[in-house]
Amino acid sequence: MALLEIVTLPNPILRRKARKVTDFGPKLQQLIDDMVETMREAPGVGLAAPQVNVPLRVITVEFGDEEDETVPPKLYTVVNPEITRLSKETVAGVEGCLSIPNIFGEVERAVQATIKGQNRRGQPVKIKARGWLARIFQHEIDHLNGVLFVDKATRLWQQQEAPEAEEAAAPV
Ligand code: NI
């Protein structure tokens, strides 16, 4: 495994639509292992392949239970993820992004999201997420379409300017 470099704005790859994965061979397996290591080291709770300069539809997410800190974080790897359902109910939350250092913003997201895609072996997976986990999936899947949280934020601030930034989830 190897740590990958996380690209930041204004790198144009962050604005491109990523390509569908069709080859689940050793190169993809290596990419996923490296993304997980890079996400953990950052540290972050989610990472999309374009953030490590790879234009493929791959995301990794690792997040624990919001209510119970004793539950260990669960790791999700989703290849070719698609959101198949979003709740009408939305909630505002503070987001950051590993590719946009020191900027935070408040973003309105659906409370619940259903995600379909494939696991690292190409088998179909379906995930029903809610709360912060649903937010992370929405943020990461946006990355695959060249969309960044700053596009959707109702307000933005630099880390040092606003004490409420301390409440932000780990960057994704
Ligand atoms: Ni991000």
Side-chain angles (χ1 to χ4, degrees):
M1 298 216 286
L3 283 178
L4 303 171
E5 189 190 340
I6 295 175
V7 301
T8 56
L9 277 183
N11 191 311
I13 196 168
L14 295 169
R15 289 303 192 179
R16 275 185 224 135
K17 201 168 152 72
R19 292 196 310 269
K20 198 172 177 201
V21 172
T22 53
D23 182 351
F24 288 78
K27 274 182 81 174
L28 180 73
Q29 303 307 318
Q30 181 74 53
L31 171 67
I32 290 169
D33 288 343
D34 292 347
M35 281 177 63
V36 170
E37 189 179 356
T38 303
M39 172 178 70
R40 287 175 173 165
E41 206 272 339
V45 292
L47 193 66
Q51 294 183 274
V52 291
N53 215 16
V54 177
L56 290 175
R57 303 187 81 78
V58 180
I59 61 170
T60 58
V61 172
E62 189 167 51
F63 192 66
D65 191 302
E66 279 174 80
E67 276 111 48
D68 186 354
E69 286 180 7
T70 63
V71 177
K74 189 169 177 196
L75 176 66
Y76 302 86
T77 298
V78 191
V79 179
N80 301 323
E82 277 179 59
I83 293 176
T84 56
R85 190 185 164 275
L86 288 176
S87 62
K88 287 207 181 88
E89 187 193 353
T90 61
V91 62
V94 177
E95 296 187 18
C97 181
L98 295 170
S99 295
I100 314 173
N102 301 320
I103 301 289
F104 290 87
E106 193 167 79
V107 186
E108 195 84 25
R109 300 270 192 194
V111 173
Q112 294 182 55
T114 304
I115 297 97
K116 281 188 183 173
Q118 290 160 284
N119 67 13
R120 62 188 295 162
R121 303 290 165 196
Q123 292 153 338
V125 290
K126 181 178 174 181
I127 298 155
K128 286 189 174 180
R130 60 171 296 119
W132 274 105
L133 185 62
R135 175 176 298 277
I136 297 164
F137 274 109
Q138 290 170 77
H139 178 118
E140 299 311 329
I141 292 170
D142 275 351
H143 269 299
L144 303 182
N145 296 319
V147 175
L148 303 171
F149 85 95
V150 292
D151 306 337
K152 296 184 166 181
T154 48
R155 60 195 184 96
L156 289 167
W157 59 87
Q158 292 205 323
Q159 192 167 20
Q160 60 270 30
E161 288 173 359
E164 66 258 52
E166 289 165 18
E167 293 165 23
V172 285

